[in-house]
Amino acid sequence: MNLNEFQNDLTTGIPAVLPAKKAYETAINHAPKRKEILTPEEKILALKNALRYFPKDQHAELAQEFSDELEKHGRIYMYRFRPDYKMYARPISEYPGKSLQAKAIMLMIQNNLDYAVAQHPHELITYGGNGAVFQNWIQYRLTMKYLSEMEDDQTLVMYSGHPLGLFPSHKDAPRVVVTNGMMIPNYSKPDDWEKFNALGVTQYGQMTAGSYMYIGPQGIVHGTTITVLNGFRKIKKSPAGSLFVTSGLGGMSGAQPKAGTIAGCVTVCAEVNPKITRIRHEQGWIHEVIEDLDALVKRVREAQANKEVVSIAYLGNVVDVWEKFDREHLHIDLGSDQTSLHNPWAGGYYPVGITFEESNRLMAENPEVFKQKVQETLVRHANAINAHTAKGTYFFDYGNAFLLEASRAGADVMAANGIDFKYPSYVQDIMGPMCFDYGFGPFRWVCTSGDPADLEKTDAIACAVLEEMKQQSPEEIQQQMADNIQWIKGAQENKLVVGSQARILYADAEGRMKIAAAFNEAISKGIIGPVVLGRDHHDVSGTDSPYRETSNIYDGSRFTADMAIHNVIGDSFRGATWVSIHNGGGVGWGEVINGGFGMLLDGSSDAERRLKSMLHWDVNNGIARRNWARNEGAIFAIKRAMEAEPKLKVTIPELVDEELLKGLK
């Protein structure tokens, strides 16, 4: 398909003539069949909901086809309408339209669905097992048509994957406003997602999937690297020759072995899915794949003895690894887990002792038995971890709901008080006090030219900004600055790019604003092409998640979601190009509210004005909240922010003498 044909396809939207049915490609990594949950009456409703996109003369042919999809897959994906062109982020100049901002969003959507990036590309799922960009292919087509028609005084409203329409607005309004899964609270249980997603009226946007800001596993490599490095610092041990054991090689979890390699340790990461294991190996995110436990033990001992920096994927269940290493007295220094336990009953976590294929059959045909097997596995998993921690392993919860689901399964993971978990969240021990409280989080950018040379130039620009800032930075954040400079200097050699020419870099508000301003100036001078700014939702301000992002909030407010809502509202009127707010993501449907943004830098004075206003709020909103929760680092950070910006005025908490409260009734 040539460029003209590609552009015509994007602007067509819903085809007037039905395209031919497409064969189901077995070589693609597909989503598992979703469990049977709709009543016969609800199945009819799901079909009516799907057919409303099409003229009546097409209903007779499509009704049976969509009914078959619903029965076979548990969802209506509208496979027939999947585009024939290759899906990837093209240079921004190749997208049709009247708005450069809209073209940037089209680019980011296609990046999320790139086969090299997406976990289940034909089901429009980017990562996490159910993190969707759209519910079906007609929603994709209609959205791209709207974006190709959009002008800079219009806003597209996205309603859980459905493009509700273009509405008049103004040039400083977001071009797109995205919501995903925003349920009435009493209808936010896992089975509610299964039901309403099957009906075609809501979707799980994960964190950056439904926000069009996913950049492949690189998106969390930096944060994972910081976590692993600081984990070794916490146990006062060098990574060289030390062992990190975890699991999950899917979307975000695929970052773990690369992070272990950058940190300089031996990493063993288990994964049950052969296809995704092969993909990560081909992409260079893991060095070796081993399927035999005895061979794995031998290889790990050899790597430890030689102090190799190596990542090994074990193709199998991680519970077998923990139990085998215990029997073999093989010491694990750091341990974690990053399977998609926010999605435990639909492919996010697999039971031990059952094949991958049989598990997929069970979850669709006998979901109650599958759930029982998963919970039995969680108990075994926890028991094996407990055996290792008794010998000195440092285990941390990676915010994937492992401890939460293990506790619900009856596993021995609770602290003596019966309220807290016996193992800390990595946010509680590492990322929260060391990064988030000081405003450091996963700032990211995408070079819309698609030119690797532009990415290399932006790396150099960002590094120069950070090195200059470090000279004036207070002692409290010198380590963070040093880690970030080391990261950006090694970004090219670590080959982090999958899909778009993107980079992630932990930075605070000052760093983000200065780096963005330097990019915008370089764009205005023609040194680089336009750049999209964004961040992971796993950040200082965007996400309220009591078991992960806000797990180090101890004033009782960690189960509130005001911060995430404030964040997305504030970003909207301060100049974001698009904004999003989601139910679910990372730790599960009904367990978190998270928001994100995208911003196009085009070298204009408008872009410079917007970036200063929006990026300042996007970070300091969260620091202000963390300060009010009496987090020491955040109190320091918000006072420093007020000194730098006289118009920022934040209430500082008065600290109470603990002795005063002792003995009070």
Side-chain angles (χ1 to χ4, degrees), residues 382-390 393-397 402-403 412-415 420-426 428-429:
N383 287 342
I385 289 167
N386 291 340
H388 281 274
T389 58
T393 296
Y394 173 67
F395 182 86
F396 56 91
D397 184 278
F402 169 70
L403 292 180
D412 179 17
V413 294
M414 301 307 296
D420 300 314
F421 296 127
K422 67 165 62 177
Y423 302 113
S425 155
Y426 74 115
Q428 287 176 291
D429 257 17

Side-chain angles (χ1 to χ4, degrees), residues 478-526:
Q478 281 290 309
Q479 183 65 66
Q480 291 91 326
M481 296 297 293
D483 285 348
N484 293 331
I485 291 167
Q486 179 182 346
W487 164 266
I488 199 69
K489 284 184 174 179
Q492 292 286 333
E493 66 187 60
N494 285 314
K495 298 179 180 178
L496 300 166
V497 170
V498 175
S500 59
Q501 293 297 315
R503 183 69 71 230
I504 190 166
L505 172 68
Y506 267 57
D508 61 4
E510 180 187 11
R512 298 182 205 203
M513 288 188 290
K514 287 184 174 179
I515 291 168
F519 288 169
N520 199 54
E521 182 180 3
I523 296 165
S524 71
K525 293 178 178 178

